[in-house]
């Protein structure tokens, strides 16, 4: 089954909400403010970085790093005046190496995320090694306070059911862990939309299970694919 989305990965980890998560660290009198935010595009990431720069216009450095896409094929960072390789790259590595735990399994697949470390210099130089640790620790500390969830590419299936049967069908689908995305009651029959894991035989598996639930009365049809945030 071929889909328009060309990403190799069918799932990855994202920040669970759109609000920035902020932490503050005091490292040898310098104040490091770590901020994590979910972003959907490079333009959005850069616009937010500019916004943080305006907010912290008196900071010594405002160092950004971001990762985008299911395959994490867009990765950008800047040292913003710190010695080359001591700030942006350690932050980027902290993002790409961070291991999230979902259903007891660790995944190093965080993406669609932007990290910013704002530094107010406190008068004590940290040296190259100290800077690397400080910027990396700032990102990791912020990530540890950031709620994360899974984003999956899903096959979207619709099925028509009598209005009187919708509640039962939805409950039966949820009881076996299918993701019911919504129901449209506008037509003579209700249309239930379900998201399936994007595997090669997704529709065949679903219709076999649906037939067993409904004595063969209902079947679904693929209407597209989309990325969907899910709890696991």
């Amino acid at each position: 089954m071929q889909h328009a989305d060309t990403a190799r990965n069918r799932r990855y980890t994202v920040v669970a909400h759109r609000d920035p998560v902020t932490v503050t660290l005091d490292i040898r009198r310098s104040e490091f403010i770590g901020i994590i935010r979910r972003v959907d595009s490079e333009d959005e990431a850069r616009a937010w970085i500019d916004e943080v720069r305006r907010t912290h216009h008196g900071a010594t450095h405002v160092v950004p790093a971001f990762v985008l896409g299911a395959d994490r094929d867009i990765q950008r960072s800047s040292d913003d005046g710190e010695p080359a390789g001591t700030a942006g790259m350690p932050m980027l590595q902290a993002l790409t190496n961070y291991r999230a735990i979902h259903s007891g399994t660790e995944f190093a697949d965080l993406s669609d995320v932007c990290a910013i470390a704002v530094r107010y210099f406190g008068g004590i130089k940290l040296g190259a090694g100290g800077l690397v640790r400080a910027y990396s620790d700032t990102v990791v500390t912020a990530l540890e306070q950031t709620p994360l969830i899974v984003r999956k590419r899903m096959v979207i299936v619709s099925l028509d059911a009598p209005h009187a049967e919708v509640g039962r069908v939805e409950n039966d689908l949820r009881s076996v862990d299918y993701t019911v995305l919504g129901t449209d009651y506008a037509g003579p029959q209700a249309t239930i939309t379900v998201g399936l894991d994007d595997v090669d035989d997704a529709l065949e598996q679903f219709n076999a299970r649906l037939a067993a639930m409904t004595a063969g009365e209902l079947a679904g049809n693929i209407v597209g694919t989309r990325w969907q945030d899910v709890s696991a």
Side-chain angles (χ1 to χ4, degrees):
M1 182 165 51
Q2 298 295 318
H3 306 308
D5 193 319
T6 59
R8 296 183 302 276
N9 291 327
R10 301 182 183 187
R11 53 140 291 149
Y12 61 105
T13 300
V14 295
V15 178
H17 54 64
R18 301 283 170 177
D19 298 326
V21 174
T22 303
V23 300
T24 301
L25 284 71
D26 187 330
I27 301 175
R28 299 189 68 188
R29 297 186 184 174
S30 281
E31 182 181 54
F32 286 82
I33 303 170
I35 317 171
I36 299 291
R37 183 183 161 184
R38 181 168 173 173
V39 291
D40 290 329
S41 68
E42 190 162 352
D43 286 346
E44 183 182 356
R46 294 194 183 282
W48 181 57
I49 293 164
D50 289 343
E51 178 184 330
V52 173
R53 288 189 193 282
R54 288 192 296 270
T55 301
H56 293 277
H57 55 85
T60 316
H61 304 281
V62 178
V63 179
F66 58 86
V67 182
L68 293 167
D71 297 328
R72 306 204 290 180
D73 47 358
I74 297 175
Q75 300 184 11
R76 304 282 187 269
S77 66
S78 167
D79 291 311
D80 191 44
E82 294 282 29
T86 64
M89 186 54 66
M91 290 174 57
L92 187 60
Q93 290 173 343
L95 290 176
T96 57
N97 292 338
Y98 190 76
R99 305 186 74 83
I101 300 176
H102 304 294
S103 302
T105 303
E106 289 189 348
F107 296 90
D109 61 354
L110 179 64
S111 193
D112 292 352
V113 62
C114 183
I116 298 176
V118 179
R119 184 189 184 192
Y120 287 90
F121 182 56
I124 299 176
K125 293 184 178 181
L126 300 181
L131 286 172
V132 169
R133 287 190 297 274
Y135 279 102
S136 178
D137 288 350
T138 298
V139 173
V140 171
T141 301
L143 286 173
E144 289 173 346
Q145 303 299 317
T146 302
L148 303 174
I149 57 173
V150 173
R151 187 164 177 81
K152 288 184 178 181
R153 187 170 62 198
M154 306 196 86
V155 177
I156 307 304
V157 170
S158 70
L159 60 127
D160 293 332
H163 287 213
E165 296 295 318
V166 167
R168 179 184 63 80
V169 173
E170 287 181 342
N171 288 337
D172 288 347
L173 291 171
R174 290 191 178 100
S175 72
V176 290
D177 295 328
Y178 282 117
T179 302
V180 178
L181 300 174
T183 301
D184 181 1
Y185 292 90
Q189 287 194 308
T191 300
I192 303 171
T193 303
V194 181
L196 311 179
D197 286 351
D198 186 8
V199 297
D200 291 339
D201 57 348
L203 183 63
E204 291 80 359
Q205 290 185 26
F206 175 75
N207 277 337
R209 181 69 68 89
L210 186 61
M213 291 177 178
T214 64
E217 293 183 1
L218 301 181
N221 296 294
I222 292 177
V223 295
T225 62
R226 80 178 187 217
W227 288 93
Q228 181 77 28
D229 292 354
V230 297
S231 58

